[in-house]
Amino acid sequence: MSKGLLFTDIHAGVKSDAEIFLNEFRKFFEDFIPQQIEKYSLQKGPLFCLGDLFDNRNSVNVKTLSIVYKTFTNLFKKYPELKLYFLTGNHDIYYRNTREISSLNVLNEFTNIEIISDIKKMTFFDRSVILCPWITNHDSSEQIFEQKADICMGHFEINGFEMVSGIKEYNGLSPKRFIENFKLTFSGHFHLRAESNGIIYIGNPYQTKWSDYSNSKGVYILDFKTFQYEFIENVNAPIYVKLFLSSIKKGLVNLKIEVPNNFISLIIDDKISTNDLDK
């Protein structure tokens, strides 16, 4: 097998360490990831996280830290030869101008994990890969393009891609540079999954905000030999749902399917009595 699994922007501890998202973190690594490992024979990896394992760049909640530690401990007990590569994202670092202090350092004792805190060129299945963490104020973006490679994986702000729905990045890196230097580029940072001209924003693995609305979430499987990649949707995680009153009244919405375990916004776009609205 010549495949690897890519995910990004876990943001452990998101929404002030909300229990629902800590549970999603556990489910992702205890259920969803093992399913893909078994399906694609990735017991040895490689798996890549393209930044922002943690959410709070200033501090990590003790409970969140404990859950992260226990989750990876259990994962490596199940797959002792599994290899993970974690790129340092902007939410993983304390200072904005250096990656020296990083919450990812708590993972150093896991021999299965390699933390990528500087630009590094590696080889996987005879393909050259540039691994690039978040570019700080002290770095030059030119470092990314000093040497060509087959594939680039990073935590980038690339022009033309949506930062959030309807708002695109225009002050970041030129997509042309990536197209000229790499056959494929995979990036974290922006949470909306998107693909254009060989540049793939993976997106976060499950919805955590209303800005994720209607954007499918999951992971990517990459075949290093053929450069073919496949999106695997995480369909069991809660999603943000907009329900329109007019559609409910017309019987076009199955509330027993739409409502449970999801985040719901009820749009009052039709007349209704207060009593009926309460029901």
Side-chain angles (χ1 to χ4, degrees), residues 205-223:
Y206 40 82
Q207 295 185 7
T208 59
K209 301 177 181 178
W210 273 107
S211 56
D212 293 322
Y213 171 73
S214 78
N215 191 251
S216 54
K217 304 297 182 180
V219 302
Y220 275 81
I221 299 293
L222 170 64
D223 190 318

Side-chain angles (χ1 to χ4, degrees), residues 166-182:
I167 303 177
K168 292 185 177 181
E169 173 66 66
Y170 290 111
N171 298 308
L173 300 169
S174 168
K176 183 180 179 182
R177 301 297 302 278
F178 290 95
I179 295 170
E180 291 173 343
N181 285 273
F182 315 111

Side-chain angles (χ1 to χ4, degrees), residues 84-114:
L84 273 74
Y85 299 86
F86 280 86
L87 275 61
T88 306
N90 58 308
H91 279 254
D92 298 316
I93 56 176
Y94 184 77
Y95 295 112
R96 297 185 183 277
N97 61 347
T98 175
R99 294 181 295 272
E100 182 179 357
I101 299 179
S102 168
S103 53
L104 293 183
N105 291 339
V106 301
L107 304 178
N108 278 331
E109 69 174 83
F110 290 107
T111 57
N112 305 68
I113 293 177
E114 180 171 345

